[in-house]
Amino acid sequence: QVQLVESGGGLVQAGGSLRLSCTASRITFSRYDMAWFRQAPGKEREFVAAIGPSGAATAYRDSVKGRFTISRDNPRNTVYLQMNSLKPEDTALYYCTSRYQLTLVLPTTSPEYSYWGQGTQVTVSS
């Protein structure tokens, strides 16, 4: 059973930074697209960022471009989300997800991903 474990969430003031980590097990990590989604209370889960198996390809939702950076360390089976200039509207439960790479286009919708972590809470105070 594939396992994704997120960490790094917490409470931060607006303008601050956090780095989320997600470590995968029981997959050939270097063959998987990895992504972060988030879900705020009362809202649908939304795409945040994705990265291809080699790390060369990335994608972001518009509202986080220039503030968030996704990266990966394949030997460590870990994907990261560096979040800078955080805003209260970034408050959400952040999920790590993965899928075996089938196409070169990075998926940005949740049904396209296969495995999900339990989430890590990010709270940004104003």
Side-chain angles (χ1 to χ4, degrees):
Q1 182 75 9
V2 175
Q3 190 173 24
L4 302 175
V5 179
E6 303 99 333
S7 63
L11 173 64
V12 64
Q13 288 188 332
S17 298
L18 284 174
R19 188 176 81 154
L20 305 183
S21 300
C22 170
T23 300
S25 59
R26 302 188 183 95
I27 60 171
T28 306
F29 189 74
S30 61
R31 295 183 181 178
Y32 279 70
D33 296 322
M34 301 297 296
W36 291 92
F37 282 70
R38 66 188 182 187
Q39 188 167 18
K43 295 187 177 181
E44 293 188 355
R45 190 173 297 187
E46 64 183 20
F47 169 78
V48 177
I51 188 166
S54 72
T58 58
Y60 297 90
R61 71 178 297 105
D62 287 345
S63 63
V64 308
K65 285 180 181 177
R67 300 189 298 123
F68 291 10
T69 303
I70 190 170
S71 62
R72 65 191 294 160
D73 184 340
N74 284 351
R76 295 179 184 268
N77 281 14
T78 301
V79 62
Y80 304 98
L81 185 68
Q82 178 66 45
M83 305 185 295
N84 299 327
S85 302
L86 282 162
K87 304 176 180 180
E89 51 264 43
D90 295 318
T91 295
L93 188 60
Y94 282 70
Y95 295 94
C96 173
T97 184
S98 67
R99 71 139 200 185
Y100 187 85
Q101 188 191 41
L102 298 174
T103 68
L104 294 179
V105 178
L106 286 169
T108 60
T109 63
S110 54
E112 297 178 274
Y113 286 89
S114 305
Y115 305 106
W116 294 81
Q118 294 300 305
T120 185
Q121 179 67 38
V122 172
T123 303
V124 184
S125 63
S126 57

